[in-house]
């Protein structure tokens, strides 16, 4: 039983950050959306892209990049609400799944808290790095699937990136 638990943990966890890995956070989101029936509020998905991460790796080395990823993951875990979940989506991207969110404006507030937690100067072995993030958020109280909600949050994140490197953008449906 313990061995099986260890295998499941390794299969669902990003080794560097100890967050959920991509497939596990998508399962968390799918499960959250499936269980939502009758629950108050909706579900928010916050999509985070660390700004200038490639430069950190190129200039300061991959060990500094790993330190930034670990720091970002820890700050995300400290910032989210109980019941929210953090996953490393890939590279320098993270996804936060937030169930029971009472509206798009509250989802935006949660995303702004995330952005604020990821705005700082960080000491790395060879100097200082500015930690910054572009953040997009999507919220839905309706029956969207996980892929659609992630795509909306991703689109909002790219809009935030175009607007300014530390912007937070709420997905706005054109329907």
């Amino acid at each position: 039983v313990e061995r099986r638990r260890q295998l499941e943990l390794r299969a669902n966890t990003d080794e560097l950050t100890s967050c959920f890995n991509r497939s596990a956070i998508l399962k968390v989101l799918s499960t959250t959306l499936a269980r939502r029936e009758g629950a108050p509020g909706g579900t928010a998905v916050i999509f985070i892209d660390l700004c200038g991460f490639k430069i950190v790796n190129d200039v300061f080395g991959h060990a500094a990049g790993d330190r930034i990823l670990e720091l970002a993951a820890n700050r995300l875990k400290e910032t989210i609400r109980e019941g929210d979940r953090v996953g490393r989506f890939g590279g320098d991207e993270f996804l936060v799944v937030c169930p029971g969110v009472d509206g798009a404006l509250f989802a935006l507030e949660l995303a702004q808290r995330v952005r604020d937690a990821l705005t700082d100067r960080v000491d790395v072995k060879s100097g200082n790095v500015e930690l910054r993030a572009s953040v997009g958020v999507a919220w839905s109280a309706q029956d969207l699937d996980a892929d659609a909600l992630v795509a909306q949050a991703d689109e909002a994140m790219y809009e935030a990136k175009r607007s300014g490197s530390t912007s937070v953008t709420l997905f706005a449906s054109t329907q």
Side-chain angles (χ1 to χ4, degrees):
V1 173
E2 178 60 24
R3 177 147 170 77
R4 181 182 177 137
R5 190 184 75 72
Q6 288 295 325
L7 287 173
E8 282 182 23
L9 184 65
R10 287 180 64 195
N12 293 313
T13 304
D14 177 70
E15 189 175 326
L16 178 64
T17 64
S18 299
C19 294
F20 286 106
N21 61 27
R22 181 188 185 112
S23 63
I25 196 67
L26 290 173
K27 284 181 201 168
V28 166
L29 178 57
S30 292
T31 302
T32 298
L33 293 171
R35 290 183 181 162
R36 193 172 70 201
E37 192 171 307
T43 302
V45 172
I46 303 171
F47 201 109
I48 301 130
D49 179 79
L50 300 180
C51 301
F53 184 75
K54 182 180 181 333
I55 294 169
V56 171
N57 276 337
D58 291 348
V59 172
F60 296 101
H62 290 279
D66 288 352
R67 172 155 158 52
I68 295 296
L69 290 171
E70 290 171 317
L71 178 70
N74 289 335
R75 291 206 178 164
L76 288 170
K77 292 174 198 173
E78 292 167 1
T79 302
I80 62 172
R81 306 169 308 154
E82 187 176 330
D84 294 349
R85 298 291 178 255
V86 177
R88 183 171 172 208
F89 205 65
D92 64 340
E93 295 177 334
F94 292 86
L95 200 70
V96 181
V97 175
C98 308
V101 176
D102 294 329
L105 290 179
F106 186 54
L108 183 60
E109 287 177 21
L110 292 173
Q112 288 168 333
R113 273 196 265 162
V114 162
R115 187 264 331 265
D116 291 348
L118 297 175
T119 304
D120 198 4
R121 300 237 9 112
V122 178
D123 289 325
V124 293
K125 197 171 191 176
S126 331
N128 280 326
V129 173
E130 191 172 335
L131 178 63
R132 297 173 294 126
S134 294
V135 179
V137 60
W139 176 84
S140 178
Q142 298 168 3
D143 292 330
L144 285 180
D145 66 13
D147 290 336
L149 204 50
V150 169
Q152 289 178 352
D154 186 34
E155 184 178 321
M157 184 278 297
Y158 276 104
E159 181 58 36
K161 196 174 272 297
R162 285 188 291 272
S163 297
S165 62
T166 60
S167 295
V168 177
T169 301
L170 175 67
F171 176 80
S173 176
T174 55
Q175 298 174 357

